[in-house]
Amino acid sequence: MTEYLCKTCGTQYPDQNPDPELPPSHCPICEDERQYVPETGQQWITSSELKAQHKIKRTEHGPGLYSFEIVPRAAIGQRAFFIQTPYGNILWDCLAILDQSTIDWIKNKGGLAAIAISHPHYYTAMGDWSDAFDQAEIYLHHDDAKWVQKWHPAVHHWTGNNIKLNTDITLIKCGGHFEGGTVLHWQQGKGFLFTGDIMQIVADRKYVSFMRSYPNYIPLPATKVKEIGNSVADYDFDTVHGAFAGRTISNNGKQAVERSVTRYINALQAS
């Protein structure tokens, strides 16, 4: 069976047509107002074609922390993070391809205990990643369950406001960008927060921002932004890692989030 991915968002789809060589008819992820279908129309690419044209770049960010990116850039262009802990390794967010060299490298580091993903735009080829590591459990918030386009037995739709994956790793539901929008807190050193698109680190790397749709510039209401700020208020963190390469706040990350919430709400309320 040919496995197709949406070229715009990187979501992998199951065979949906009588002819397995035909791509799916449409991509609900891109048709939603938080994403977009390009002016040129819906386009598809197979997993094998994507792997032939791209590779995975690995970057070390410190002890036990690495990121993966697809190069040249493909789809949305996000990075995924590999977090080493004494209780098992975690993949945060996901990519549309997984190559053999990355599989070998991760296995040499002890494999994956779990995969956690911030929101549906980054579900991509999560099933392939799980299969490569003994069907590592995939943690997605239940509020976004309807956005899973390719069912996989390893998917665990967790509920509530937070869940601990191990002693050091906690997933926190923030909502906002998506109803089940999630961030990851790593209790290591002064603490790390991994935000995906739920809090987007801005160009000056001193603030974050919050949007319902980034490509379509749809803001969130002040009430939602306040909820996001409150959701992480009880966690200590110094470093904030965003979805894209270079978008990291290296110091005083908690204070940056707090002042960003205030700035955003003040901007909305200004007359």
Side-chain angles (χ1 to χ4, degrees), residues 261-271:
V261 169
T262 299
R263 180 169 81 165
Y264 190 102
I265 292 174
N266 286 345
L268 288 179
Q269 295 177 341
S271 58

Side-chain angles (χ1 to χ4, degrees), residues 84-136:
Q84 287 185 283
T85 83
Y87 316 100
N89 302 326
I90 307 296
L91 182 74
W92 169 248
D93 279 335
C94 200
L95 302 180
I97 59 171
L98 175 60
D99 55 32
Q100 190 60 50
S101 63
T102 302
I103 293 173
D104 294 341
W105 183 88
I106 291 175
K107 287 185 175 180
N108 187 55
K109 294 289 187 181
L112 288 179
I115 298 167
I117 304 179
S118 60
H119 70 293
H121 290 159
Y122 298 161
Y123 289 175
T124 60
M126 59 185 178
D128 290 354
W129 285 75
S130 174
D131 289 340
F133 303 102
D134 301 317
Q135 292 208 327

Side-chain angles (χ1 to χ4, degrees), residues 60-66 81-85 89-90 105 109 186 188 194:
E60 184 175 6
H61 297 273
L65 181 61
Y66 302 82
F81 283 91
F82 177 82
I83 306 169
Q84 287 185 283
T85 83
N89 302 326
I90 307 296
W105 183 88
K109 294 289 187 181
W186 182 24
Q188 170 74 6
F194 298 82

